[in-house]
Amino acid sequence: MSGHTLDVRGLLCPMPVIHTQNRVKELTPGARLQILCTDPGAVIDIPVWCRINGHKVLETDEQQSLISILIEVGSEE
Amino acid sequence: MSDTGRRKAVALISGGLDSMLAAKLMMEQGVHVEGINFFTGFCVEGHTHSIRRKDQQRPRRNNALWVAEQLGIKLHIIDVSADYKDVVLNPKHGYGANLNPCLDCKGFMVGRAYAWMQEHGFDFIVTGEVIGQRPKSQRRDTMPVVARDSGAGDRLLRPLCAQRLPETLPEREGWVDRSRLRDITGRSRKEQMRLAGDYGIEDYSQPAGGCCFLTDANYSAKLADLWQARRRRDYELDDIMLLKVGRHLRPRPHFKLIIAREEGENNFLEGYRHQFTHLRPISHNGPLTLVDGSADEDDLTLAARLAARFSQGRGADQVQVSVTEKGGASRTVAVAPMPSEEIPSAWYI
């Protein structure tokens, strides 16, 4: 399984979602993308974006101010 | 047209009720709808709520995404902040009450949606506009201007007030049934709230001051001050982000101070401190202060006295303040906090 990382630490809503959206467009279905961010709103927004666009959130981890969200690209893009 | 023969519409989704209802009216008629949302840099949603601690009591959701999920549609969020600069700096239809170029803004957004529509094989564009709802951009006489300026022409459908407007292509072609569209006008929200009730929509965002910082008098004053101080009408994204945060004081024409008002803003400004000369009280708790502009020794002493004023040492004889020049070198100065009554109100931007 291919793994990719997107570092959007320091960016505020909606930029983490926009960067995620743009990166996912470059990936193939089944690819995994780990998103590193610091905006607490991303914990809500990225999963919503994934749900409405057919992607899957596999894991969310919050360590102090660092948030890591692992997603799997769906087939609808 | 979609693979299933359904017509496809792209709906401008702001996160508010009107665009949600407009999309819903289309879906009800069997149209395939996807949402589009534009990030201009001036959006009240998002950034500000992420920054200020008091705002974190509110739901932190992005309302456009939330609306899309409620509707069960895809949402495409597009960063237009670079191209949007020309709309703010050179609005051909002028500004509203503040630095809000509402009519140009609407034309720009519909134009971008029109380009997206063509690129992705969609048939028409839907907005939640209502005749008479906004003093500049949503009037009977300006609605054709938006359709013309954007290039969308009669592929732009406003379902909430369509029955009061000339027929558009989707209506003429029978892609949508005009008799099932609406005839809402004016600033009252009663009809929209009734329609929301019919659809069982109970939770929706109602931004009191609009969704754009440029409609805010205080924000516009800060932007105008920025242009005046730099002697040019221009901005970078960081500039307009910083205008949303902190107290802004301009004690001298060649520099201003940005002083955090609370912990969330302090954390946000921390991310910018390396780009600015900055001050921090060290003998007492106090906010981070950024110096925007060029400040000499006397200016920095004045800045330190102001920074001390907003620290917990404001009543002390002396406060020690760390001054870090842009580029690295730090020193400590001891200053008397400036009494509130000595700070001219004209310094507050």
Side-chain angles (χ1 to χ4, degrees):
Chain A
M1 192 69 69
S2 52
H4 305 269
T5 303
L6 176 68
D7 187 348
V8 286
R9 287 177 289 182
L11 297 183
L12 296 174
C13 172
M15 296 312 287
V17 175
I18 292 174
H19 283 270
T20 301
Q21 170 188 267
N22 295 345
R23 187 64 185 277
V24 163
K25 279 181 188 161
E26 300 166 357
L27 302 177
T28 52
R32 292 184 174 191
L33 177 66
Q34 183 184 34
I35 304 145
L36 302 175
C37 49
T38 46
D39 175 8
V43 176
I44 298 169
D45 294 342
I46 289 176
V48 173
W49 180 83
C50 284
R51 285 199 295 275
I52 63 179
N53 287 290
H55 312 299
K56 196 185 292 179
V57 175
L58 300 176
E59 201 175 279
T60 300
D61 184 44
E62 290 187 66
Q63 299 283 340
Q64 297 180 330
S65 61
L66 179 64
I67 299 158
S68 170
I69 303 171
L70 180 65
I71 70 172
E72 184 176 284
V73 177
S75 56
E76 292 185 36
E77 274 295 313
Chain B
M1 194 185 293
S2 72
D3 296 340
T4 56
R6 294 164 70 196
R7 290 291 168 177
K8 296 167 76 173
V10 56
L12 271 72
I13 298 292
S14 66
L17 178 60
D18 290 356
S19 55
M20 186 180 194
L21 292 173
K24 189 80 179 167
L25 281 166
M26 292 295 91
M27 296 168 72
E28 190 181 61
Q29 294 207 23
V31 175
H32 172 87
V33 177
E34 294 190 17
I36 196 165
N37 175 266
F38 296 110
F39 172 66
T40 65
F42 295 99
C43 311
V44 174
E45 283 282 332
H47 282 89
T48 317
H49 295 174
S50 303
I51 298 165
R52 297 197 69 180
R53 186 155 289 275
K54 73 177 181 64
D55 288 326
Q56 291 178 6
Q57 307 306 317
R58 302 184 202 177
R60 289 184 308 205
R61 71 187 186 203
N62 176 303
N63 278 310
L65 280 168
W66 183 85
V67 161
E69 186 168 40
Q70 299 311 301
L71 292 169
I73 63 172
K74 288 188 177 185
L75 181 73
H76 309 275
I77 307 179
I78 317 282
D79 177 7
V80 294
S81 56
D83 292 345
Y84 193 74
K85 198 189 276 194
D86 189 50
V87 177
V88 178
L89 299 177
N90 306 300
K92 69 178 183 183
H93 298 294
Y95 296 108
N98 298 298
L99 289 175
N100 45 312
C102 290
L103 188 50
D104 289 81
C105 175
K106 185 61 82 175
F108 171 83
M109 288 191 178
V110 173
R112 290 296 296 255
Y114 182 54
W116 189 96
M117 179 202 93
Q118 292 175 305
E119 191 182 337
H120 292 83
F122 277 54
D123 300 300
F124 61 103
I125 302 159
V126 170
T127 70
E129 292 168 283
V130 167
I131 295 171
Q133 182 154 116
R134 292 274 185 269
K136 197 168 173 75
S137 61
Q138 294 190 43
R139 296 197 318 245
R140 184 183 296 277
D141 60 325
T142 58
M143 286 198 168
V145 175
V146 172
R148 186 191 66 220
D149 286 2
S150 64
D154 63 359
R155 286 185 186 263
L156 171 59
L157 177 64
R158 288 110 165 179
L160 295 181
C161 60
Q163 289 184 352
R164 292 181 180 270
L165 293 169
E167 272 193 328
T168 59
L169 183 72
E171 295 161 275
R172 281 200 309 276
E173 294 293 321
W175 303 342
V176 299
D177 178 356
R178 181 176 171 90
S179 71
R180 293 168 66 192
L181 303 176
R182 303 293 162 142
D183 62 352
I184 303 173
T185 59
R187 297 180 71 92
S188 164
R189 315 277 298 157
K190 279 185 188 168
E191 276 302 302
Q192 288 94 316
M193 289 161 82
R194 192 184 58 73
L195 191 55
D198 291 347
Y199 284 132
I201 300 168
E202 293 173 352
D203 182 11
Y204 45 85
S205 167
Q206 295 192 78
C211 58
C212 173
F213 265 108
L214 292 168
T215 61
D216 181 87
N218 292 329
Y219 186 90
S220 290
K222 289 181 203 166
L223 183 57
D225 167 80
L226 183 97
W227 288 343
Q228 188 176 13
R230 295 185 183 174
R231 294 178 185 168
R232 67 178 193 278
R233 295 172 81 258
D234 198 4
Y235 63 80
E236 300 302 327
L237 191 57
D238 281 344
D239 292 325
I240 59 175
M241 292 295 117
L242 285 168
L243 294 182
K244 298 176 184 178
V245 177
R247 291 183 183 84
H248 289 235
L249 282 82
R250 185 174 293 285
R252 299 286 181 266
H254 50 279
F255 78 96
K256 75 168 177 178
L257 305 178
I258 305 171
I259 306 173
R261 290 172 293 193
E262 43 91 281
E263 188 185 344
E265 291 191 342
N266 219 62
N267 294 337
F268 180 75
L269 293 183
E270 286 284 350
Y272 284 93
R273 68 189 156 88
H274 296 300
Q275 299 176 40
F276 294 88
T277 294
H278 56 276
L279 301 93
R280 195 192 310 269
I282 52 176
S283 58
H284 300 77
N285 286 332
L288 176 64
T289 297
L290 305 183
V291 180
D292 184 9
S294 55
D296 63 18
E297 275 307 307
D298 288 345
D299 294 333
L300 288 176
T301 301
L302 176 59
R305 293 191 66 203
L306 285 162
R309 151 68 186 89
F310 292 101
S311 77
Q312 289 182 3
R314 65 177 65 88
D317 292 336
Q318 213 170 57
V319 171
Q320 291 191 317
V321 178
S322 160
V323 180
T324 305
E325 301 275 355
K326 180 182 173 183
S330 291
R331 63 186 186 283
T332 301
V333 297
V335 294
M338 181 171 279
S340 296
E341 59 275 18
E342 288 184 21
I343 303 174
S345 58
W347 288 5
Y348 287 91
I349 307 166

CSV table of all heavy atoms in Angstrom, one decimal, chain B residues 227-247:
chain,number,residue,atom,x,y,z
B,227,TRP,N,-2.8,50.4,3.6
B,227,TRP,CA,-2.5,50.9,2.3
B,227,TRP,C,-1.9,52.3,2.4
B,227,TRP,O,-1.0,52.7,1.7
B,227,TRP,CB,-3.8,51.0,1.4
B,227,TRP,CG,-4.3,49.7,1.0
B,227,TRP,CD1,-3.6,48.5,0.9
B,227,TRP,CD2,-5.7,49.4,0.5
B,227,TRP,NE1,-4.4,47.5,0.5
B,227,TRP,CE2,-5.7,48.0,0.2
B,227,TRP,CE3,-6.8,50.1,0.3
B,227,TRP,CZ2,-6.8,47.4,-0.3
B,227,TRP,CZ3,-7.9,49.5,-0.2
B,227,TRP,CH2,-7.9,48.1,-0.5
B,228,GLN,N,-2.5,53.1,3.3
B,228,GLN,CA,-2.0,54.5,3.5
B,228,GLN,C,-0.5,54.4,4.0
B,228,GLN,O,0.4,55.2,3.5
B,228,GLN,CB,-2.8,55.2,4.5
B,228,GLN,CG,-2.5,56.7,4.6
B,228,GLN,CD,-3.5,57.5,5.5
B,228,GLN,OE1,-4.2,56.9,6.2
B,228,GLN,NE2,-3.4,58.8,5.4
B,229,ALA,N,-0.2,53.6,5.0
B,229,ALA,CA,1.1,53.5,5.6
B,229,ALA,C,2.1,53.1,4.6
B,229,ALA,O,3.3,53.5,4.6
B,229,ALA,CB,1.1,52.6,6.8
B,230,ARG,N,1.7,52.1,3.7
B,230,ARG,CA,2.7,51.6,2.7
B,230,ARG,C,2.7,52.4,1.4
B,230,ARG,O,3.5,52.1,0.5
B,230,ARG,CB,2.4,50.1,2.4
B,230,ARG,CG,2.6,49.3,3.7
B,230,ARG,CD,2.4,47.8,3.3
B,230,ARG,NE,2.5,47.0,4.6
B,230,ARG,CZ,2.2,45.7,4.6
B,230,ARG,NH1,1.8,45.1,3.5
B,230,ARG,NH2,2.3,45.0,5.7
B,231,ARG,N,1.8,53.3,1.4
B,231,ARG,CA,1.7,54.2,0.2
B,231,ARG,C,1.4,53.4,-1.1
B,231,ARG,O,1.9,53.8,-2.2
B,231,ARG,CB,2.9,55.1,0.0
B,231,ARG,CG,3.0,56.1,1.1
B,231,ARG,CD,4.2,56.9,1.0
B,231,ARG,NE,4.4,57.8,2.2
B,231,ARG,CZ,5.4,58.5,2.5
B,231,ARG,NH1,6.5,58.4,1.8
B,231,ARG,NH2,5.5,59.2,3.6
B,232,ARG,N,0.8,52.3,-0.9
B,232,ARG,CA,0.4,51.5,-2.1
B,232,ARG,C,-0.8,50.6,-1.7
B,232,ARG,O,-0.9,50.1,-0.6
B,232,ARG,CB,1.5,50.7,-2.7
B,232,ARG,CG,2.0,49.6,-1.9
B,232,ARG,CD,3.1,48.8,-2.6
B,232,ARG,NE,3.4,47.6,-1.9
B,232,ARG,CZ,4.1,47.5,-0.8
B,232,ARG,NH1,4.7,48.5,-0.3
B,232,ARG,NH2,4.3,46.3,-0.3
B,233,ARG,N,-1.7,50.5,-2.7
B,233,ARG,CA,-2.9,49.6,-2.4
B,233,ARG,C,-2.5,48.2,-2.9
B,233,ARG,O,-2.6,47.9,-4.0
B,233,ARG,CB,-4.1,50.2,-3.2
B,233,ARG,CG,-4.5,51.5,-2.7
B,233,ARG,CD,-5.6,52.2,-3.6
B,233,ARG,NE,-6.9,51.7,-3.3
B,233,ARG,CZ,-7.6,50.8,-3.9
B,233,ARG,NH1,-7.0,50.2,-5.0
B,233,ARG,NH2,-8.8,50.4,-3.6
B,234,ASP,N,-2.1,47.4,-1.9
B,234,ASP,CA,-1.7,46.1,-2.2
B,234,ASP,C,-1.8,45.3,-0.9
B,234,ASP,O,-1.8,45.9,0.2
B,234,ASP,CB,-0.3,46.0,-2.8
B,234,ASP,CG,-0.1,44.7,-3.5
B,234,ASP,OD1,-1.0,43.9,-3.6
B,234,ASP,OD2,1.1,44.5,-4.0
B,235,TYR,N,-1.7,44.0,-0.9
B,235,TYR,CA,-1.6,43.2,0.3
B,235,TYR,C,-1.2,41.8,-0.1
B,235,TYR,O,-1.3,41.4,-1.2
B,235,TYR,CB,-3.0,43.1,1.0
B,235,TYR,CG,-4.1,42.5,0.3
B,235,TYR,CD1,-4.2,41.1,0.2
B,235,TYR,CD2,-5.1,43.2,-0.4
B,235,TYR,CE1,-5.2,40.4,-0.5
B,235,TYR,CE2,-6.1,42.6,-1.1
B,235,TYR,CZ,-6.2,41.2,-1.1
B,235,TYR,OH,-7.2,40.6,-1.9
B,236,GLU,N,-0.6,41.1,0.9
B,236,GLU,CA,-0.3,39.7,0.8
B,236,GLU,C,-1.3,39.0,1.8
B,236,GLU,O,-1.9,39.6,2.6
B,236,GLU,CB,1.2,39.4,1.2
B,236,GLU,CG,2.2,40.1,0.4
B,236,GLU,CD,2.1,39.8,-1.1
B,236,GLU,OE1,1.7,38.6,-1.4
B,236,GLU,OE2,2.3,40.7,-1.9
B,237,LEU,N,-1.4,37.7,1.6
B,237,LEU,CA,-2.3,36.9,2.4
B,237,LEU,C,-2.0,37.1,3.9
B,237,LEU,O,-2.9,37.2,4.7
B,237,LEU,CB,-2.3,35.4,2.0
B,237,LEU,CG,-3.4,34.6,2.6
B,237,LEU,CD1,-4.8,35.1,2.2
B,237,LEU,CD2,-3.2,33.1,2.2
B,238,ASP,N,-0.7,37.1,4.3
B,238,ASP,CA,-0.4,37.3,5.7
B,238,ASP,C,-0.9,38.6,6.2
B,238,ASP,O,-1.3,38.7,7.4
B,238,ASP,CB,1.2,37.2,5.9
B,238,ASP,CG,1.7,35.8,5.9
B,238,ASP,OD1,0.8,34.8,6.1
B,238,ASP,OD2,2.9,35.5,5.7
B,239,ASP,N,-0.8,39.7,5.4
B,239,ASP,CA,-1.3,41.0,5.8
B,239,ASP,C,-2.8,40.9,6.3
B,239,ASP,O,-3.2,41.4,7.3
B,239,ASP,CB,-1.2,42.0,4.7
B,239,ASP,CG,0.2,42.3,4.3
B,239,ASP,OD1,1.1,42.4,5.2
B,239,ASP,OD2,0.5,42.6,3.2
B,240,ILE,N,-3.6,40.3,5.4
B,240,ILE,CA,-5.0,40.3,5.7
B,240,ILE,C,-5.4,39.3,6.8
B,240,ILE,O,-6.4,39.5,7.5
B,240,ILE,CB,-5.9,40.1,4.4
B,240,ILE,CG1,-5.5,38.8,3.7
B,240,ILE,CG2,-5.7,41.3,3.4
B,240,ILE,CD1,-6.5,38.5,2.5
B,241,MET,N,-4.5,38.3,7.0
B,241,MET,CA,-4.8,37.4,8.2
B,241,MET,C,-4.5,38.2,9.4
B,241,MET,O,-5.2,38.2,10.4
B,241,MET,CB,-3.8,36.2,8.1
B,241,MET,CG,-4.1,35.3,7.0
B,241,MET,SD,-5.6,34.5,7.2
B,241,MET,CE,-6.4,35.0,5.7
B,242,LEU,N,-3.4,39.0,9.5
B,242,LEU,CA,-3.0,39.7,10.7
B,242,LEU,C,-4.0,40.8,11.0
B,242,LEU,O,-4.1,41.2,12.2
B,242,LEU,CB,-1.6,40.3,10.5
B,242,LEU,CG,-0.5,39.2,10.7
B,242,LEU,CD1,0.9,39.8,10.2
B,242,LEU,CD2,-0.4,38.7,12.1
B,243,LEU,N,-4.7,41.3,10.0
B,243,LEU,CA,-5.7,42.4,10.3
B,243,LEU,C,-6.9,41.8,11.1
B,243,LEU,O,-7.6,42.6,11.7
B,243,LEU,CB,-6.2,43.0,9.0
B,243,LEU,CG,-5.2,43.8,8.1
B,243,LEU,CD1,-5.9,44.4,6.9
B,243,LEU,CD2,-4.6,44.9,8.9
B,244,LYS,N,-7.0,40.5,11.1
B,244,LYS,CA,-8.1,39.9,11.8
B,244,LYS,C,-7.8,39.7,13.3
B,244,LYS,O,-8.7,39.4,14.1
B,244,LYS,CB,-8.5,38.5,11.2
B,244,LYS,CG,-8.9,38.5,9.8
B,244,LYS,CD,-9.1,37.1,9.3
B,244,LYS,CE,-9.4,37.1,7.8
B,244,LYS,NZ,-9.6,35.7,7.3
B,245,VAL,N,-6.6,39.9,13.6
B,245,VAL,CA,-6.1,39.5,15.0
B,245,VAL,C,-5.5,40.7,15.7
B,245,VAL,O,-4.8,41.5,15.2
B,245,VAL,CB,-5.0,38.4,14.8
B,245,VAL,CG1,-4.4,38.0,16.1
B,245,VAL,CG2,-5.5,37.3,14.0
B,246,GLY,N,-5.9,40.8,17.0
B,246,GLY,CA,-5.2,41.7,18.0
B,246,GLY,C,-5.6,43.1,17.9
B,246,GLY,O,-6.5,43.5,17.1
B,247,ARG,N,-5.1,43.9,18.9
B,247,ARG,CA,-5.3,45.4,18.8
B,247,ARG,C,-4.2,45.9,17.9
B,247,ARG,O,-3.1,45.5,17.9
B,247,ARG,CB,-5.0,46.0,20.2
B,247,ARG,CG,-5.9,45.6,21.3
B,247,ARG,CD,-5.5,46.4,22.6
B,247,ARG,NE,-6.4,46.0,23.6
B,247,ARG,CZ,-6.3,44.9,24.4
B,247,ARG,NH1,-5.2,44.1,24.2
B,247,ARG,NH2,-7.1,44.7,25.3
